[in-house]
Amino acid sequence: MGGISPQELQARVGEHLGTSDWVLVDQDMINKFADATGDHQFIHVDEEKAKLTPFGGTIAHGFLTLSLMPMLGASTDGPKVAGIKMGVNYGCNKVRFLSPVRSGKRVRSHIKLLELEEKRPGQWQQTNEVTVEIEGEEKPALIAEWISQFFV
C-alpha cells in the first residue's frame, strides 16, 4: 500500500489537497439523521410544510452536512499518508453554514491543508479548510476548519 510520509504531506501546507466524490443527500438520509439526533423540525422531514418555506422543500440539517466530512475526506483524490494506524476527529476551529442543502442535491468537499504538526512521535495533528460544495450552486453549503489527528 503506497502513500506519502507525514513529512511529505507537511511540505504541502497551504495547498489544495483534493476534491471528494459527489454524495447524494436524499430524503432518506435526512430522515435517518433526524431520527438519530431527535431533530425532527419540519423543514427537514415534512415535505409538504417545507414546500411553503423560502427553501421550497426539505433541507438537510447543517450538522448532517458537517457529519459527512469524514466520508467525503476518505473519498478525496488527494495524497494519502502511508502507515496510518488510526485517525481521530479532534474538533473544528470554526464552522459556517452558508447555504442549505436541499433534499436530492449532491455535495462534495474541497480540502486545503492549513497546518500539520507532529504532537508526539508518530502522532500528527492536521488542520484542513474544508469547503462543501453543492452541485449546481454558487454558494457552498459550509466552510469549516477541521482538526484531526492520525497516528503512524
Side-chain angles (χ1 to χ4, degrees):
M1 182 181 219
I4 65 172
S5 70
Q7 294 80 4
E8 288 171 307
L9 183 61
Q10 193 173 39
R12 298 195 57 186
V13 167
E15 294 182 20
H16 179 263
L17 293 183
T19 301
S20 75
D21 294 336
W22 288 103
V23 171
L24 176 66
V25 179
D26 60 12
Q27 192 60 49
D28 185 54
M29 180 187 284
I30 295 168
N31 291 343
K32 287 176 180 173
F33 190 85
D35 288 343
T37 61
D39 181 353
H40 291 93
Q41 185 178 175
F42 79 94
I43 61 172
H44 305 302
V45 297
D46 188 327
E47 295 177 64
E48 291 307 310
K49 277 188 181 178
K51 283 180 187 174
L52 303 175
T53 70
F55 303 121
T58 56
I59 60 171
H61 306 71
F63 285 114
L64 166 56
T65 307
L66 185 68
S67 75
L68 293 175
M69 290 190 338
M71 178 178 61
L72 294 169
S75 75
T76 298
D77 58 6
K80 306 293 185 216
V81 174
I84 291 182
K85 296 175 185 171
M86 176 179 66
V88 295
N89 289 317
Y90 194 70
C92 291
N93 285 333
K94 50 185 156 179
V95 177
R96 295 293 179 266
F97 300 108
L98 302 173
S99 189
V101 177
R102 289 169 177 76
S103 178
K105 285 290 201 167
R106 295 192 321 162
V107 298
R108 69 178 176 183
S109 66
H110 301 276
I111 298 175
K112 178 181 179 182
L113 180 60
L114 298 179
E115 186 176 9
L116 181 62
E117 64 176 308
E118 191 170 24
K119 301 303 269 184
R120 293 187 191 106
Q123 179 183 351
W124 292 82
Q125 183 166 298
Q126 178 173 347
T127 304
N128 290 318
E129 179 184 82
V130 180
T131 302
V132 177
E133 170 190 12
I134 307 168
E135 187 174 39
E137 297 190 20
E138 274 187 50
K139 210 170 178 184
L142 68 83
I143 297 176
E145 278 188 16
W146 178 25
I147 307 165
S148 59
Q149 293 188 353
F150 62 87
F151 300 79
V152 293

